[in-house]
Each structure stands twice: as C-alpha cells, then as structure tokens.
Amino acid sequence: MHILVKISAMSSKVCFLSSILLFLPLASYAYWPTTIEENLPVAADPDTMEWNPKALPYPDGSTLVVYHKVGFGDCYQIIDRFGQLKYETPQLLFYNISENGLSDVISDDEGGAIISYATNDGVEGIYAQRLDSLGNCLWGDSGVRVFPFFETDRDICTDGMGGFYLAAAPDESALDWSDLWIQRIEGDGSLPWGEEGILLAGLPDVTARYPRITHDSNGGLFVIWEDSRPPYWPEAALFAQHIDSAGNILWLNDLYITEGLVWEHIVISDGEGGFILQTNYGADFNTHWRIDGDGNILWIRDHLSWYFHAKMVPGEPGFFYLGFIYGPGVYGQRMDIAGNNYWPTWGGSDVGALMAISPPDWNHDMQDDYIYQYPYFYGLYDYNPGTSYPIYLCTNALDSAGNRKFSDDLGVILHISEQWWDLNYYSVLPDDEDGIKAVFQKHVGVSTRRDVYAKRCNSDGSLGGPSPITVEVTPVNPPIQIPASGGSFDFDIELSNIAYNQIDYDVWINVLLPDSSLFGPLMGPVSLSMNPGFTIERTRTQNVPAGAPPGTYTYQAWVGVHPTQPWTSDSFTFEKLSSSESGLTIDKWTNSGEDFHENFANTNLIAPDTFHLLSVYPNPFNPITILSFELQVSSLVELKVFDINGRIVAARHASPLSGSGATPTTGFYPSGAHQITFDGTGLSSGIYIYQLTAGGFTSSGKMVLMK
C-alpha cells in the first residue's frame, strides 16, 4: 500500500519505494522524440562509426539493438518502452574480437536473444553470444566459437529450446567451390555435433551456397540452398533437406525444387512440420512453395509478390504475410498455409493490399522491412520525391481485412533525411501499446560517418511514446462554478514515475478557454527529478479572475519537456458563469498551494511493500506465458486475468515455485525474483488483460492468446 508521509505544515504527501526524492536541475532528455526532425540516438559516438543495426522486440516493451562499432566490435543496447537507454556506454558482445563481419540476431524463444557473427581477426571463425531477457551475456565475455572458419554466407534459426542452428557455406581452401555445413548450438553454448558440425553438401567441383534455414517445429530444421551439381551447372538449382535434432539426414535424396540461378530465396516454418519457400530466379514476380516434412510439394503459386527484395514473414497460426514494393506503392499480401490469398493479387483489382502510395514522380530507395504482430501487418519503407531528395522514412500497418491503419498516402512520416544515401538497415518493431518503432542507420555529416537511431509513433500516428511519468489532476469539490466576480477552486495533482530509472521532467498547467484557445502556463513549468516508483501528491488552489469570459474551461496538467515535448496530460472542466471585467492576464490567474520544492533529504520515510513486474513472455502466447516479477519484501501475490469485456477468466492466489520457502496455500512469496505461469488452455484466441497484485501494488497490461 502507499505510505503517505507529512513533511511540512502544508501537509505535502510523498509515496516512496526505496529511497528519497531529489529535485535537481533539469538534465538532458532521452525519450522518444515527438518531431520529424529529431531521432533517438542509440549509438552516436562522434569519434567512431556505428552501423548495421539489427533490432528485436524485447520483454516489457523494450527493444534490443545490436550494431557494429568500428574499432571495437559488435555491441548492443536496450531501449526501454519510454525511449530511455538501459546502458550509459555500449555493451560489447565479444571482448576478444575488435573487427568482425555482419551480425545475425534472432530470438532465443525464451525472452532473450542469440547473436552470431563471423571474424577473421585473431582466431577466425563464426562466434555466437546469448543474452537473457535482462541483457546479461550467458556465454561468457568472449562468446562461443561455433564454427572454425570465417564465412559471411550463412544463416541461423532457433531450435525452440534456447539454442540455435547454423548453416554456413565456406569456400574450400585453394579450390574453386564451397561446401555446406550444418551446426547445432545448444542453449548452454555447447556443440553436440562437434567443432565443424555436419557436412550436408560437399561434392568435389560442386558449389553449395546461399543456405537458408528454418525450424521444423519438432526440434529439427529444413535447409534450402543453391547447388551447382550436374546437370545444373552453370545455372545451378535449388535443393532442400530435412535434418532432425540428433543430426540425422531424414530424406534419402536431396529434394530438387527448381532450376535456374536463384536471385533470392526466403524460408519460414509453416507451423505444421513443413515450410513455406519464396524464390525469385530473375523474374519480376516471386514463386511460393509449400513443402511438408516428408518432402512433398503441396502447392506452388506465383505472382503473389514482386521482385527479389520482397519479404515474407510468419503471421498468426496458419497464416503468413508478404510485403513488397510495386511501382509507387508499398503492398502486403495475407496468405494461409493452404495457399489461399486473402487480399487482391495480380490479375485482379490490384497486386496486393495497399499500405502506402506516393505521387507518381516519386521513387523508392528499395529498402523496407515487415513484421506481423496481432492484429496488424506492419511495414517500414522510404520514399524520395523523384530525382531530388531528401528521403522520407515512413511506416504503416494493415489489418486482417487489408485496411490501412493510417489513412495518409505515405502513412506516418517518421523522419526526413538530408541526402539520398542517409538511411539504411531498417527494422520495424510493433509494441504491446499499439505503437510502431523503427531502428535504422543514418549517415551524419560526411558520408563515412554513420550512427544508429530509433523512432516511434503512437497508435494515433503522432510521434513519441508512452510517458514514464503519469499525472492525475482532480478537483476537490466538483462540479466547479465560478461566479461573475471571480473565485477559486482547490485541486489535487498526483505525479508517479512508472519507469525503472530516475526521470527528469517538467510539470505545468494550462487552461483551454471557452473559445478553444490555449492560455498559460498557469503553473510552472516546474523542473523535477524523480526516482523509480515514486509518487508525489500536492493540493493546490487556482484563482480565476473576474475578467475570465463565461463558458466551459478545460484545466490541463501536463508532464514532459516544456514546451517542445509534452508526454501526457490529465484534465477536468469547470464553468465560469459570466464576466464582470475585461482582460485576461496571467498575473490574475494565480496558482498557489503545496510546494514542489521541499528538501526531503533528512526526512524519515517508510518504504512500502512493493514489486516490479519485469516481463510477460512470450506475448503473444499459445497457450502458456510466464509473468516474471521481483519483490522487495515478502508479499501475498494474486493474479487476475480478464477478457476484453471485463469478465474474469482466471483468478487465484499465485502459488510459488517449490523450494521458494513460501506457503503454496496462501500465495505468499519471499523477497526476490519469481515467475508465475498462466495457462490459456480452454480460452479462445484474443486479447486478455492481466492484473498482478502484490503488497497492495498492482501492475496490469495486455497479453494476446493466439491459437
């Protein structure tokens, strides 16, 4: 429960978690920018170049960004949901490697991530590192050497058990061909298939290259690669093979798929023991295949997406999505695994569902990224106005019917660059608050300087993010009616830091006049610095002068960076009955009451029972998800889950894990980190609201069950 402590004659009240509240000069801000011109600097060291960012959604609404820092190696940073960076300095993934090749980044399916990279600096090879959900390196400071040769022609995929598979096609030393090797890396970084793994394709004078892999939903994997074996030389052909978790090759013969020089191919799991393949061998259109676990081709379709740079991503169970650029438009296609398309396609009304379209004389830079998260298919793409510049970085999303989330032709403009070569390496990442994040590389100043930036838009298309500070403003004796001669009213204002770190911010109050014009600030801006978990409450008085015009007013309390970055606000209305004077000046709208600037350093304060909800993962889930939380003191923990109509679908005193020292019948947990498993078996797919309560504190949010 909140502990309210009087600290002055004016009965100022403060809620504390663990330490004192300090009021300091306003420091620099690092939150989601609210203007097109600004970007969130993720890695922007003026003395070196950072490039090739890869990003993943991370627990608790955060974002993992992996990038290469020239002269140092591969680094990572975590952006929290409010746009703050977790680390003050770059976190190196591999301390013994200063220069390496491009990184691959995937989820480990357990809330963390796996990063692989190739290096020929020092002990050459392919290395890997695993991060847990908090950003800790699990495979030591130097990672694990998972393959003994340097090779950039490679691919990785999860094994569904915290580890991953690697496919690499290194050139044979002093020979004019390359072989294909498959390696398995377990969740602890060990190599059950030995140092090199399994040789899958290694015929003399035959080149095996461009491997693409995906899991088979049963612990094994599918491998698809280009092969120049006779009689397909010099054009080559595309082959596939199925390997189980023990390293056994399951198909007697490699599966021949198609002949011809394949420009690009993408593979994803179909979720039912087979895979979906997208290929392009020099045509304007792509061809899609579904192949089952026994190597049977179930269907083939073409003209569903266009050009070799088109993308294919998994969707909700039983579906996948295609994203591509065609003429002035950015398009999407929704497919089920039976091969049926749900949006327009070639030969019909259009080539797909339109996500964005530019004026006819505008161009694309042919860089885009797509991802599905229920209930939208999201895209990140760019435009430039003909042969002139700058570049417009934009985003939009399509619902299941193919309708655009944002109606503007270009979607939401996130940033406008200065030069055509400014922006590269896009990642689009939706979040659980219906926002869209973008991570990208931007050239700064001269063409050789590159930095990593991020941007976010809200569900209404505005730029910015959720506020780390909440504000509530409440009239003491509503309804408020001010007489013609003027008067005053009392109100309570409450400010809370819901982030996990100290937040510097401003608080101010404006009033919206009856003619809808804005007047103020009537209070502030007051610059505050608040530790995580703190809540402060103040009671203040607002004077309304006789000269205020009659009508309904909206009294607005704001937090953010005044005046350029308002984060969030709360308001109430009052009425002025008539006016007896003319003129509207700030000095007559006096605001007084409990001060925001008392010194609490020597106050004897009490810390309440409290907890931090660390993550809900996976989310979406099917049918099990895990809520991770941390208690500072022993507390009764209760979990409630509601459907979108507010009906309780699950409620119980959460039972602790065995050996925790708690009493399962009461649901009391000791201090420390804990997990609760929620099983959605028996519930239908949809959005649910969790409510986790401990020691009088409650944390709630959305989770999505997808079956």
Side-chain angles (χ1 to χ4, degrees):
M1 60 181 176
H2 290 278
I3 305 297
L4 302 182
V5 183
K6 292 187 177 182
I7 59 176
S8 76
M10 293 185 293
S11 301
S12 299
K13 299 175 284 290
V14 188
C15 295
F16 289 87
L17 287 183
S18 59
S19 58
I20 63 171
L21 175 65
L22 300 177
F23 294 102
L24 303 172
L26 201 59
S28 60
Y29 297 94
Y31 307 112
W32 292 113
T34 58
T35 66
I36 289 176
E37 294 77 18
E38 297 174 285
N39 294 310
L40 178 69
V42 179
D45 187 339
D47 298 323
T48 188
M49 182 171 70
E50 296 102 347
W51 69 297
N52 187 34
K54 305 285 181 64
L56 280 181
Y58 232 49
D60 202 25
S62 61
T63 302
L64 172 70
V65 182
V66 175
Y67 60 94
H68 184 73
K69 186 177 180 68
V70 173
F72 293 86
D74 280 15
C75 302
Y76 68 98
Q77 180 63 265
I78 295 176
I79 313 170
D80 73 12
R81 58 188 285 255
F82 307 110
Q84 286 204 312
L85 304 184
K86 179 173 182 177
Y87 306 110
E88 293 185 4
T89 59
Q91 302 297 293
L92 280 173
L93 285 163
F94 315 102
Y95 284 96
N96 64 343
I97 298 171
S98 60
E99 298 292 340
N100 50 60
L102 303 181
S103 296
D104 295 310
V105 184
I106 59 172
S107 169
D108 68 356
D109 291 334
E110 296 183 0
I114 291 170
I115 302 97
S116 79
Y117 50 95
T119 181
N120 53 11
D121 178 40
V123 181
E124 76 164 277
I126 298 176
Y127 288 74
Q129 180 62 269
R130 184 182 178 191
L131 301 178
D132 66 14
S133 61
L134 300 178
N136 301 307
C137 292
L138 299 181
W139 292 347
D141 289 344
S142 302
V144 177
R145 187 169 180 250
V146 299
F147 192 67
F149 306 111
F150 171 82
E151 184 52 57
T152 58
D153 185 9
R154 66 184 191 273
D155 194 22
I156 64 174
C157 74
T158 178
D159 67 359
M161 295 175 284
F164 73 104
Y165 288 104
L166 164 72
D171 293 334
E172 281 291 329
S173 179
L175 298 175
D176 194 24
W177 69 77
S178 57
D179 296 335
L180 176 58
W181 295 81
I182 309 299
Q183 179 64 287
R184 183 180 181 189
I185 301 89
E186 295 192 332
D188 60 1
S190 60
L191 306 177
W193 296 351
E195 181 185 26
E196 295 183 352
I198 296 171
L199 179 63
L200 183 60
L203 296 174
D205 298 316
V206 172
T207 290
R209 60 182 182 178
Y210 308 145
R212 300 293 182 266
I213 60 176
T214 189
H215 66 86
D216 67 359
S217 302
N218 296 304
L221 78 156
F222 297 103
V223 187
I224 296 88
W225 74 98
E226 185 183 284
D227 198 300
S228 66
R229 70 185 66 175
Y232 305 111
W233 177 260
E235 291 298 323
L238 207 61
F239 287 86
Q241 186 55 262
H242 190 186
I243 303 173
D244 68 15
S245 59
N248 299 306
I249 297 175
L250 299 181
W251 296 341
L252 181 62
N253 298 305
D254 297 335
L255 175 66
Y256 165 81
I257 298 176
T258 185
E259 182 178 356
L261 186 64
V262 177
W263 286 28
E264 182 60 85
H265 52 286
I266 303 172
V267 61
I268 60 174
S269 170
D270 68 2
E272 295 190 359
F275 64 92
I276 308 292
L277 175 67
Q278 174 179 296
T279 65
N280 183 292
Y281 38 90
D284 290 341
F285 60 87
N286 298 307
T287 301
H288 292 83
W289 317 62
R290 184 184 176 198
I291 299 173
D292 68 15
D294 295 323
N296 300 306
I297 297 176
L298 303 181
W299 52 257
I300 305 173
R301 290 201 60 184
D302 55 31
H303 291 86
L304 294 170
S305 68
W306 293 78
Y307 306 111
F308 70 91
H309 47 73
K311 308 298 193 301
M312 178 173 66
V313 299
E316 66 270 41
F319 289 84
F320 63 98
Y321 289 80
L322 311 174
F324 56 95
I325 294 170
Y326 186 91
V330 179
Y331 290 88
Q333 181 59 260
R334 183 176 186 240
M335 299 286 302
D336 65 26
I337 61 173
N340 302 304
N341 62 285
Y342 287 76
W343 297 340
T345 190
W346 181 76
S349 59
D350 210 336
V351 295
L354 185 66
M355 183 177 288
I357 191 167
S358 69
D361 57 343
W362 284 37
N363 296 320
H364 293 278
D365 200 29
M366 294 303 178
Q367 297 192 78
D368 50 349
D369 189 44
Y370 305 91
I371 193 172
Y372 176 83
Q373 179 173 299
Y374 180 84
Y376 288 105
F377 174 58
Y378 296 86
L380 179 66
Y381 46 88
D382 59 37
Y383 281 105
N384 66 77
T387 56
S388 62
Y389 300 97
I391 297 289
Y392 289 68
L393 181 64
C394 308
T395 188
N396 210 337
L398 299 170
D399 65 16
S400 61
N403 300 311
R404 287 188 288 173
K405 181 176 177 64
F406 306 114
S407 60
D408 290 349
D409 284 350
L410 296 182
V412 174
I413 300 174
L414 299 175
H415 181 60
I416 301 177
S417 73
E418 294 81 12
Q419 301 292 336
W420 68 268
W421 36 259
D422 265 1
L423 306 178
N424 304 94
Y425 297 107
Y426 299 163
S427 294
V428 60
L429 306 109
D431 59 37
D432 293 335
E433 296 171 276
D434 206 19
I436 307 176
K437 301 171 187 173
V439 175
F440 52 94
Q441 170 188 298
K442 179 178 172 66
H443 293 250
V444 179
V446 297
S447 61
T448 56
R449 166 80 187 281
R450 304 168 190 172
D451 292 330
V452 178
Y453 292 91
K455 207 65 175 283
R456 185 186 185 277
C457 76
N458 297 302
S459 60
D460 62 357
S462 62
L463 300 182
S467 173
I469 303 294
T470 63
V471 56
E472 293 184 22
V473 59
T474 309
V476 172
N477 293 305
I480 300 171
Q481 291 184 327
I482 304 297
S485 59
S488 64
F489 59 84
D490 294 335
F491 65 95
D492 293 326
I493 183 169
E494 179 179 292
L495 306 167
S496 299
N497 179 359
I498 60 174
Y500 294 125
N501 52 333
Q502 178 179 302
I503 302 296
D504 301 327
Y505 68 100
D506 298 329
V507 56
W508 68 97
I509 292 177
N510 293 325
V511 65
L512 196 65
L513 302 179
D515 64 359
S516 298
S517 60
L518 195 64
F519 188 67
L522 308 182
M523 185 198 81
V526 179
S527 298
L528 305 177
S529 183
M530 186 179 289
N531 282 344
F534 279 73
T535 295
I536 64 173
E537 298 177 1
R538 295 290 185 269
T539 298
R540 295 183 64 84
T541 300
Q542 178 63 59
N543 180 68
V544 182
T552 300
Y553 291 71
T554 302
Y555 198 69
Q556 302 174 333
W558 287 90
V559 293
V561 183
H562 184 273
T564 58
Q565 295 186 33
W567 296 341
T568 190
S569 66
D570 192 30
S571 64
F572 61 82
T573 60
F574 67 89
E575 186 178 3
K576 178 74 169 16
L577 298 180
S578 62
S579 178
S580 62
E581 297 179 8
S582 61
L584 199 62
T585 58
I586 289 290
D587 61 330
K588 293 184 178 181
W589 286 77
T590 56
N591 189 289
S592 60
E594 295 178 347
D595 195 357
F596 284 92
H597 286 91
E598 284 115 353
N599 181 5
F600 304 126
N602 297 316
T603 306
N604 185 19
L605 300 169
I606 302 173
D609 298 347
T610 187
F611 78 106
H612 291 304
L613 179 64
L614 301 177
S615 67
V616 179
Y617 190 86
N619 190 10
F621 66 99
N622 179 26
I624 291 174
T625 189
I626 297 174
L627 293 87
S628 301
F629 61 97
E630 185 175 17
L631 296 173
Q632 293 190 4
V633 296
S634 176
S635 301
L636 177 68
V637 177
E638 184 177 33
L639 173 66
K640 292 182 180 179
V641 179
F642 304 84
D643 63 18
I644 58 175
N645 296 315
R647 295 186 295 259
I648 295 179
V649 299
R652 63 187 176 92
H653 286 158
S655 297
L657 301 176
S658 61
S660 67
T663 307
T665 56
T666 63
F668 273 95
Y669 281 72
S671 60
H674 303 281
Q675 293 181 332
I676 295 176
T677 298
F678 174 72
D679 189 343
T681 301
L683 298 177
S684 58
S685 297
I687 298 175
Y688 293 87
I689 307 299
Y690 64 83
Q691 185 182 83
L692 189 66
T693 301
F697 284 81
T698 297
S699 182
S700 60
K702 292 190 301 183
M703 55 186 183
V704 179
L705 175 60
M706 291 200 316
K707 294 186 174 180

